[in-house]
Amino acid sequence: MSTTKIPPQMPRTRDGRSTREAIISAATRLIHVHGYNATSLDDVLRESGVGKGNFYYHFKSKEDLGYAILDKIVHGFLERTLEPCFADADAAPLGQIRFFLDRVLEAQRERNCVGGCVMGNLASELSDVHEGFRTRLATLFTAWHARLVSALEAARGRGELVQVTEPETLARFIVASIEGAILLAKLSKDIRVMEQCVTELKRYLALHEVRS
């Protein structure tokens, strides 16, 4: 009776796209906690399990990788966090803003206040020293501000917001307040700080709401 030998299975290899994504994902995790400047290329290679040759096949430099990370962060925030909160055209605009605040709070709760806001971290670290990164980050914050302005203008148009409210100013205050709240929660490692800030931000928003 003869037996058939089964050839040993070869380890699975990544295709080009998955290799690129592995590099971006690993670098994003490291940069979120340690910052861009403190994350070395060797750190990224070790975390991703990718060789240096493969890295340079996909990225010209660490700076090129940084641009790819920012593009992914911007796309992900807009597509998965910001826009879904405002997708229902028939929903009350102020309710959508409150829902967005709750979503941001829940994201920090899931992270245990570790890492803070990767967008805010990078803006603080790089805006004064790297114009390319500053420009990409400004695009995201501009889109975030514009979405809030649109919702506030819609609320005012529906008679839900007092006419003296300036949507541009209030939207900027909301963005700044959220970023500050995330920073304080990161510093204190206490989600209650974030919860208190979101509660007060909702209370402030209510001051601009027309009372029925």
Side-chain angles (χ1 to χ4, degrees):
M1 181 177 176
S2 61
T3 59
T4 303
K5 290 185 177 180
I6 300 175
Q9 291 186 340
M10 298 297 292
R12 295 179 63 185
T13 58
R14 296 190 183 108
D15 59 25
R17 182 175 179 180
S18 62
T19 297
R20 188 176 189 276
E21 287 302 311
I23 295 170
I24 292 174
S25 295
T28 301
R29 289 193 300 272
L30 292 169
I31 290 170
H32 193 179
V33 176
H34 303 294
Y36 176 81
N37 289 319
T39 299
S40 69
L41 179 55
D42 286 340
D43 293 332
V44 174
L45 298 180
R46 185 164 49 250
E47 177 77 8
S48 64
V50 173
K52 189 169 288 188
N54 277 336
F55 175 88
Y56 283 112
Y57 177 80
H58 294 284
F59 303 100
K60 297 176 182 178
S61 62
K62 181 185 172 186
E63 179 183 65
D64 190 32
L65 170 61
Y67 285 146
I69 290 170
L70 286 182
D71 289 343
K72 184 173 182 179
I73 289 171
V74 169
H75 179 76
F77 177 75
L78 296 179
E79 185 178 73
R80 294 192 296 273
T81 301
L82 186 64
E83 292 303 330
C85 296
F86 300 90
D88 186 354
D90 297 323
L94 296 182
Q96 291 176 324
I97 293 175
R98 293 186 181 97
F99 177 61
F100 171 71
L101 296 176
D102 289 337
R103 190 163 184 152
V104 173
L105 171 60
E106 186 58 32
Q108 292 304 309
R109 184 178 286 116
E110 290 174 357
R111 294 193 190 109
N112 265 342
C113 304
V114 173
C117 173
V118 64
M119 303 172 295
N121 293 346
L122 290 173
S124 177
E125 180 184 6
L126 300 171
S127 291
D128 287 337
V129 297
H130 198 295
E131 183 61 18
F133 288 157
R134 187 202 66 78
T135 301
R136 278 171 165 78
L137 286 162
T139 297
L140 183 146
F141 282 98
T142 298
W144 181 3
H145 174 257
R147 169 49 76 185
L148 292 175
V149 170
S150 178
L152 291 168
E153 287 178 341
R156 192 167 63 177
R158 290 162 56 129
E160 298 169 0
L161 207 65
V162 295
Q163 289 299 312
V164 296
T165 299
E166 297 182 2
E168 291 270 348
T169 303
L170 181 53
R172 189 163 289 112
F173 176 77
I174 292 172
V175 173
S177 298
I178 292 174
E179 283 298 315
I182 293 173
L183 176 61
L184 289 176
K186 175 184 175 182
L187 184 64
S188 65
K189 300 301 179 190
D190 187 350
I191 193 61
R192 290 175 298 178
V193 172
M194 183 76 185
E195 291 170 345
Q196 290 165 357
C197 289
V198 168
T199 296
E200 288 305 311
L201 190 51
K202 287 181 179 179
R203 198 192 312 276
Y204 183 78
L205 186 62
L207 295 176
H208 293 263
E209 194 170 5
V210 173
R211 297 172 186 256
S212 56

